[in-house]
Amino acid sequence: MNNIRNFCIIAHIDHGKSTIADRLLEYTKTVAGKVAENQVLDDMDLERERGITIKSHAIQMQYDYKSSTEGVVPQSGIYTLNLIDTPGHVDFAYEVSRSIAACEGALLIVDASQGVQAQTISNLYMALEHDLEIIPVINKCDMDSAMPDMVEDEIVELLGCKREEIIRASGKTGMGVEEILNAIVERIPAPEGDPAAPLQCLVFDSVFNSFRGIIAYFKVVNGTMRQGDLVRFFNTGKEYDADEIGILKLDMQPRKEISAGNVGYIISGIKTSTEVKVGDTITHVARPCDKAIDGFEEVKPMVFAGVYPIEAEDYENLRASLEKLQLNDASLTFTPESSVALGFGFRCGFLGLLHMEIVQERLDREFDMDVITTVPNVSYQVYDRHHNMIEVHNPAGMPDIAVIDHIEEPYIRASIITATTYIGPIMTLCLGKRGELVKQEYISGNRVEILFDLPLGEIVIDFYDKLKSISKGYASFDYHPNGFRQSDLVKLDILLNGEQVDALSTLTHRSNAVDFGRRMCEKLKELLPRQQFDIAIQAAIGQKIIARETVKQVRKDVTAKCYGGDVSRKRKLLEKQKRGKKRMKQIGNVEVPQKAFLAVLKLD
């Protein structure tokens, strides 16, 4: 066990985590030849296309460490390094928290030209809460725009470490890689645990394989697991045979046993996805442990949206696909719901808008599911006149306005780190979103951290995009929940020919309602195809119509055949057409294209 080191890589988005991981794998000869490509751990096409990490990836390396002075701990020898590469985007912070729970140390990577950014700080605090040993690394030191001395000052101020503890590196050229590997062996403590104690393994991830069932990834905290052992999953109480266990290299490598401190996988022919929970504990049936390991906190979804199959008969397939996806992405939550406009589907909870987009894309690519996603919203607490509270995730589930006493909406504490040049526009953006300034403090030189309290409902749609565009990409954004507050919210309904489309309903602040309703009507007028009859598009709050647009009907010129003659002939033909249009309007229905649902997200 003294020769095992478990560590993860944490950083802000785009600071070069995956590139540093590539260099570590190359240096330790874990990958070589044709397999050695860029972003070698990002095995999803989606990750390569977008250049971001979506899933954390575990891999084991062997490193031959040469001690500079003999007889000192750690001694020279072969060390087993278990690396977990983590995502940097705020929407995948749950992946980071799970990786941190399975490690004793972390590489904190900071871009030499960008410096410390919002997600750097939030991931660092998460690692410090778990008492991880932090190794600071300045990446991209080979770039012309690099400012390593200035970034060193920022790290020293943030961590309170010594300057000589900071490693300068470059993922592109391979500079500093050996130093990083030596620091991992020297500074990160070996895992604690007793190989002879009752078995305790923490499940930190799982994947679905259509041939072999569910594969669970675990870290052995105490005890030893051997192939063929009868094991029990603590929380579900289910028992299985360990058909195959092994370690995670680029592919899975079977082993006869895995003992305390190590990271591995187990295949036991589990077919039902609900039987494996991330954060569960695996133990032996014959000699069980007393209690489960403290797992990680339950994930709290921030954004809710309805996901519906385009074809009604695909409902069960969609359920199976979501269950398999949930194995691999534990932060996704879903419950069945139905909508008048869209039929049966699921109410899904996501950690943010990028997370929602990625889930939609993965459903399409990995499971071949075509889905319609409704307008994303957040959950509200609605209090009635008797002070009973119900939680509403969907505007369609709002009780009657007559029984509501008040509505409370979720707030977040947002931390924005930016150059001083952009303070003005960023303040204007946040105040326009009903934000309240908490404080601003200068981190170093011309960099400032601004803290705002903002309603979550205002930022879920386009806040991040706008922030990036007004700051030319230099502002970084991070947030955490900050309770509920009472707000003057109203339900905005969209009516087509007097029929309410529940999938387009939204909850919005009264001050924004008229403007938002008018913009939605204008957008829908552009997107709805013309019919044989007039389509009235209305925005309403309760019974009051606040905006209206009309999609004009397609008409045939029925009087074209009348050359001259009495005007009554023309009138007779027009009256006949008018009666036909009226009858058609009574039986006609309006199809809302998927583009219309997406357009509401991009209202500017």
Side-chain angles (χ1 to χ4, degrees), residues 575-593:
E575 284 297 324
K576 186 180 174 188
Q577 185 188 35
K578 191 175 173 184
R579 285 196 301 276
K581 294 278 185 199
K582 190 175 177 183
R583 195 162 60 247
M584 195 182 285
K585 187 170 183 174
Q586 285 167 353
I587 60 164
N589 59 357
V590 184
E591 288 285 315
V592 183

Side-chain angles (χ1 to χ4, degrees), residues 412-414 435-440 450-454 482 485:
I412 56 156
R413 173 67 54 89
E436 295 169 13
L437 179 65
V438 179
K439 66 170 181 180
Q440 69 181 65
I450 311 170
L451 291 181
F452 262 96
D453 279 348
L454 286 156
N482 194 25
R485 298 192 196 176

Side-chain angles (χ1 to χ4, degrees), residues 7-9 11 15-27 39-41 61 83 85 107-110 137-141 167-177 180-181 184:
F7 71 101
C8 60
I9 301 182
H15 280 207
K17 295 176 297 301
S18 298
T19 318
I20 287 275
D22 289 352
R23 296 296 84 80
L24 295 177
L25 295 173
E26 276 174 26
Y27 196 89
Q39 286 177 264
V40 72
L41 290 182
M61 305 178 277
L83 152 70
D85 181 25
L107 293 184
L108 178 74
I109 292 184
V110 183
V137 178
I138 300 179
N139 191 22
K140 306 189 187 178
C141 287
I167 300 170
R168 294 190 182 189
S170 162
K172 194 173 173 186
T173 62
M175 154 191 166
V177 171
I180 293 173
L181 286 162
I184 289 165

Side-chain angles (χ1 to χ4, degrees), residues 363-434:
L363 280 172
D364 180 28
R365 290 187 186 204
E366 294 172 29
F367 303 101
D368 208 18
M369 294 296 313
D370 279 341
V371 294
I372 288 178
T373 311
T374 63
V375 183
N377 51 40
V378 297
S379 59
Y380 297 91
Q381 294 182 349
V382 180
Y383 289 82
D384 63 14
R385 308 261 181 217
H386 305 293
H387 300 292
N388 299 322
M389 188 272 285
I390 59 165
E391 204 166 89
V392 173
H393 300 306
N394 186 348
M398 283 284 284
D400 190 75
I401 198 160
V403 302
I404 296 175
D405 181 56
H406 67 274
I407 303 173
E408 293 186 355
E409 65 175 333
Y411 265 68
I412 56 156
R413 173 67 54 89
S415 152
I416 299 168
I417 295 178
T418 180
T420 46
T421 328
Y422 307 112
I423 291 180
I426 287 173
M427 292 271 199
T428 311
L429 172 69
C430 293
L431 294 169
K433 298 279 186 188
R434 298 191 284 128

Side-chain angles (χ1 to χ4, degrees), residues 491-543:
K491 182 184 171 194
L492 181 71
D493 291 319
I494 298 293
L495 310 175
L496 296 180
N497 276 347
E499 293 286 319
Q500 187 180 323
V501 183
D502 56 351
L504 288 174
S505 298
T506 49
L507 277 172
T508 181
H509 196 263
R510 196 180 293 277
S511 59
N512 298 339
V514 175
D515 181 45
F516 188 63
R518 191 172 294 131
R519 293 202 323 246
M520 266 176 91
C521 288
E522 286 165 5
K523 196 76 180 175
L524 284 169
K525 184 183 176 182
E526 290 170 27
L527 293 166
L528 288 181
R530 288 172 72 187
Q531 307 279 356
Q532 297 279 347
F533 51 87
D534 279 355
I535 304 172
I537 306 168
Q538 296 166 307
I541 298 173
Q543 300 301 313

Side-chain angles (χ1 to χ4, degrees), residues 42-71:
D42 293 349
D43 51 12
M44 255 186 262
D45 293 343
L46 206 54
E47 292 179 311
R48 293 178 181 285
E49 283 167 27
R50 292 177 175 241
I52 59 174
T53 304
I54 294 167
K55 280 288 304 161
S56 50
H57 296 268
I59 192 164
Q60 192 174 97
M61 305 178 277
Q62 302 293 332
Y63 176 54
D64 189 0
Y65 171 70
K66 305 275 191 297
S67 177
S68 49
T69 47
E70 287 305 315

